[in-house]
Amino acid sequence: MTNISRIAVLTSGGDAPGMNAAIRAVVRKGIFHNLKVFGISRGYEGLLNGEIKEMKVGSVADIVHRGGTILRTARCVELKTPEGQRLAARQLKTNKIDALVVIGGDGSFRGAQALAAQGIRVIGIPATIDNDILGTDTTIGFDTAVNTVVEAVSKIRDTATSHERTFVIEVMGRGCGNIALQAGIACGAESIVIPEITFEMEEIVAKLKRGYQRGKNHSIIIVSEGAANGYQIGRDIYNSSGLDTKVTILGHIQRGGSPSAIDTLMASAMGGKAVELILAGENELMTACINQKFKGVPLEAIEGPKRRLNMELYELAGQLSI
Ligand code: ADP
Ligand code: F6P
């Protein structure tokens, strides 16, 4: 055990459903272990401005089920500079914070590592709808985002069937096709376009035509924003096939809403794990979920490459949509 008595938590980068449940778990588990817990508003931006307030048990009441983040989030260019990193570390030291919990994506973890280099004890909790972080099976927010896409597509399918139309649906995923792939399979999409795999427009169109020839009356194409622009794909399909094609960009709807049970549970477990790791004297770790167990993995080990796509799932998607 270490002589840690004051910890802080912040959320950074793109918000993700379940961040609130993670904040709640850090605060409650910390207080359970007699720590003083501080919330930092607006990510690293708020840290630089000294927006640091003590949180009590009641500060996190009634948030476990709420989307967004009560601490707010931000992207902060200044933290990428040595001066910004020194100022951030100074703010934490002035406030006698013994350890910082960073809830965010891999960019936020690079910020956490920069603070560790300034002598700050840090633990990361992976939260991003993209599920693109190496070293953990899944990230907080991904399951909810996939469910949001599936729900939206099932509504679109109703109108697609009625009008016998082809729909192109663009989903989020910065340079990564996990949302498109998993939602695409769950929706029974005809084609899934993702940045990890080169796509041939002719193949997509040929498959659409085959489907209509054997009696299909509508088609769904899921496109990851990192692979192509949904409107462009829609135009290409129409131009080469003449099919009545509509495009929907789902956008930030995928980042909002109440977290799914899976995300809420994982956020609670990871928040608790973060405090345990701090109490055990650990530093520069991310709380990972590996085979349904929660453990700390070094932030250093997950730096650089993004999480690889599940190729078995991708191949299955092709086999199920013949
Ligand atoms: P995410 O955490 O969702 O991947 P970003 O990539 O936008 O989101 O990163 C969030 C914030 O983390 C940035 O605005 C910046 O403050 C900080 N950050 C990102 N990369 C670095 C870096 N290389 N060094 C220091 N801080 C960084
Ligand atoms: O990283 C999460 C994510 O939603 C990506 O899928 C998307 O490309 C990006 O954030 C958009 O971020 P923003 O609109 O907040 O700049």
Side-chain angles (χ1 to χ4, degrees):
M1 298 293 274
T2 51
N3 54 354
I4 282 174
S5 61
R6 292 158 69 92
I7 67 170
V9 56
L10 61 76
T11 48
S12 165
D15 62 353
M19 278 184 162
N20 276 329
I23 295 169
R24 172 178 173 270
V26 171
V27 171
R28 294 255 167 109
K29 175 99 172 166
I31 293 172
F32 176 84
H33 288 287
N34 299 316
L35 301 177
K36 275 194 185 298
V37 186
F38 295 80
I40 300 173
S41 298
R42 300 172 44 251
Y44 294 124
E45 195 75 43
L47 173 57
L48 294 179
N49 295 332
E51 296 175 47
I52 306 173
K53 277 206 191 112
E54 186 174 355
M55 298 183 88
K56 302 286 191 184
V57 172
S59 315
V60 289
D62 204 22
I63 66 165
V64 70
H65 60 294
R66 276 170 48 196
T69 157
I70 60 161
L71 289 176
R72 311 286 182 255
T73 184
R75 294 199 167 94
C76 170
V77 181
E78 208 185 332
L79 196 87
K80 293 187 177 177
T81 66
E83 304 79 55
Q85 292 159 12
R86 278 197 292 273
L87 173 59
R90 213 162 44 241
Q91 290 285 22
L92 290 164
K93 286 174 187 165
T94 306
N95 284 278
K96 299 189 167 49
I97 302 297
D98 302 310
L100 174 68
V101 178
V102 172
I103 305 172
D106 55 351
S108 303
F109 293 167
R110 299 297 78 81
Q113 282 178 290
L115 295 182
Q118 299 287 330
I120 304 296
R121 187 186 294 272
V122 292
I123 299 290
I125 298 181
T128 161
I129 64 163
D130 293 348
N131 197 22
D132 59 350
I133 299 182
L134 200 68
T136 181
D137 291 347
T138 188
T139 57
I140 296 167
F142 175 64
D143 182 67
T144 309
V146 170
N147 277 296
T148 299
V149 174
V150 172
E151 198 185 326
V153 173
S154 95
K155 289 180 180 167
I156 288 170
R157 189 185 287 284
D158 289 344
T159 170
T161 313
S162 308
H163 284 265
E164 305 186 339
R165 274 173 172 157
T166 298
F167 263 86
V168 173
I169 297 154
E170 185 189 298
V171 301
M172 275 186 161
R174 187 166 41 191
C176 131
N178 285 321
I179 295 178
L181 177 58
Q182 297 214 4
I185 293 175
C187 298
E190 272 63 34
S191 292
I192 301 171
V193 180
I194 52 177
E196 293 87 346
I197 312 275
T198 324
F199 69 96
E200 300 293 339
M201 205 56 222
E202 299 75 42
E203 265 175 42
I204 294 175
V205 172
K207 195 176 195 183
L208 282 174
K209 286 184 178 163
R210 278 201 307 275
Y212 287 115
Q213 271 156 15
R214 72 172 166 81
K216 280 181 93 95
N217 72 349
H218 72 279
S219 296
I220 303 286
I221 319 279
I222 305 277
V223 178
S224 172
E225 64 171 346
N229 176 279
Y231 287 112
Q232 188 58 51
I233 298 277
R235 272 193 297 274
D236 289 349
I237 292 175
Y238 177 75
N239 289 339
S240 53
S241 68
L243 289 167
D244 184 5
T245 306
K246 296 281 174 185
V247 179
T248 301
I249 311 276
L250 289 183
H252 288 80
I253 187 176
Q254 296 159 89
R255 290 241 296 260
S258 293
S260 65
I262 286 179
D263 275 333
T264 309
L265 182 67
M266 196 169 57
S268 304
M270 286 187 173
K273 188 57 154 186
V275 174
E276 270 173 31
L277 292 171
I278 289 170
L279 290 172
E282 297 286 1
N283 189 13
E284 282 196 80
L285 299 181
M286 170 186 79
T287 60
C289 176
I290 301 168
N291 295 331
Q292 297 189 329
K293 294 239 163 19
F294 295 93
K295 49 179 85 165
V297 300
L299 284 174
E300 194 185 43
I302 61 160
E303 201 177 345
K306 293 266 184 192
R307 189 170 182 273
R308 272 199 299 280
L309 189 82
N310 184 332
M311 280 310 292
E312 273 177 42
L313 271 189
Y314 183 76
E315 275 154 29
L316 178 69
Q319 292 158 5
L320 298 185
S321 60
I322 44 175

